[in-house]
Amino acid sequence: MLIPSPRHAAADRELWADLEAADRAHAPRIGPKVERSLAALRLFLDGGPAYCGVSWGKDSVVVAHLCATVAPAVPLVNLRCSNRNPDCDAVCNEYRARFPDQRYIEHPIDYEGLHARNLPAGALDRETDRRWYAGIRRLNDDLGHRHILGIRAGESAGRKMRCRVWGENSPNGCAPLAWWTTADVFAYLATHSLPVHPAYAMLGGGRWGRERLRVAEIGDTHGTGGGRAEWEREYYGDVLRRLAR
């Protein structure tokens, strides 16, 4: 269920209708992967408690729902950055309204003022990374190190290597979507009518592919290639201008 946004153009809405129809057509194929993911989750949780990290992008919504299916007591945890994509809140609110029994925790990550300092790219990367990993350490101090995340082998070379070495489960981490494709993820969202971040339909009439979009932060210092910077200027220029002040 795509969350509507005034940022959507008419061409975006038309294209999304076609994409969602394709998602629903693909849905009957994903049953075996869903069962494998649920089995991996159960096995991992047999080893002790864990938390589920959510960004409110497509993968983490699916993982949150898988947890709701087999272990609703697993808390959902969001590292809420001060440059958070403003549409994440709509996804979060819709999901939590449907699954109110899942505990939800936010840990703030403060990047306030960094983008206005005009730091060189390398210096900005180092400072945001420092604050991000400090937030993860605080989170682990509170909830422990065992975590469930929506990472997939198809996202990057590093994640593919992780999945080849460990499969779904490592000693401290569960990646139930390890071998899912982007099409699988969107099919699951469609068939369960789960909330979908508005950004995935902000495709410029087909100039961008939804599989390449990252939705958790605006003005992130990593992954600005592949047209991402241009996409942010087109759809979230107001947010970028606010961050630069």
Side-chain angles (χ1 to χ4, degrees), residues 7-203:
R7 301 178 192 273
H8 290 145
D12 291 328
R13 292 189 290 271
E14 292 173 6
L15 179 56
W16 182 261
D18 292 339
L19 290 170
E20 190 172 54
D23 295 336
R24 293 186 181 280
H26 181 67
R29 305 177 187 178
I30 68 172
K33 287 186 178 180
V34 173
E35 291 306 314
R36 175 171 172 164
S37 297
L38 293 173
L41 267 175
R42 293 187 182 100
L43 179 63
F44 182 72
L45 291 170
D46 282 347
Y51 66 84
C52 175
V54 292
S55 66
W56 299 117
K58 63 186 187 304
D59 301 319
S60 67
V61 170
V62 170
V63 172
H65 187 259
L66 293 175
C67 286
T69 302
V70 302
V74 170
L76 307 180
V77 179
N78 175 252
L79 292 174
R80 186 185 180 108
C81 301
S82 53
N83 63 336
R84 177 188 180 103
N85 183 308
D87 290 319
C88 289
D89 287 334
V91 183
C92 174
N93 293 340
E94 179 66 26
Y95 183 89
R96 293 183 66 201
R98 286 187 54 189
F99 303 99
D101 293 336
Q102 284 182 285
R103 181 185 172 201
Y104 178 59
I105 305 166
E106 288 189 344
H107 275 246
I109 307 291
D110 185 11
Y111 296 150
E112 201 65 41
L114 285 181
H115 293 82
R117 287 163 53 184
N118 293 317
L119 295 170
L124 186 58
D125 285 349
R126 288 190 294 274
E127 182 58 20
T128 55
D129 284 351
R130 184 187 69 80
R131 298 186 186 195
W132 175 264
Y133 288 113
I136 291 178
R137 288 193 295 273
R138 291 193 301 271
L139 170 60
N140 289 338
D141 287 343
D142 289 346
L143 295 175
H145 292 266
R146 303 186 82 247
H147 53 268
I148 303 162
L149 299 176
I151 64 173
R152 295 183 293 111
E155 292 178 296
S156 69
R159 292 186 172 186
K160 182 179 291 185
M161 180 62 69
R162 180 263 177 223
C163 294
R164 283 179 174 172
V165 171
W166 293 108
E168 285 87 354
N169 292 340
S170 69
N172 285 322
C174 178
L177 306 186
W179 304 114
W180 289 39
T181 66
T182 301
D184 297 335
V185 171
F186 280 113
Y188 188 95
L189 292 168
T191 196
H192 290 280
S193 298
L194 293 170
V196 177
H197 198 293
Y200 292 120
M202 298 175 191
L203 302 178

Side-chain angles (χ1 to χ4, degrees), residues 225-239:
R228 181 180 173 189
E230 292 78 9
W231 175 81
E232 286 189 345
R233 284 197 295 270
E234 180 166 337
Y235 283 102
Y236 291 98
D238 58 317
V239 180

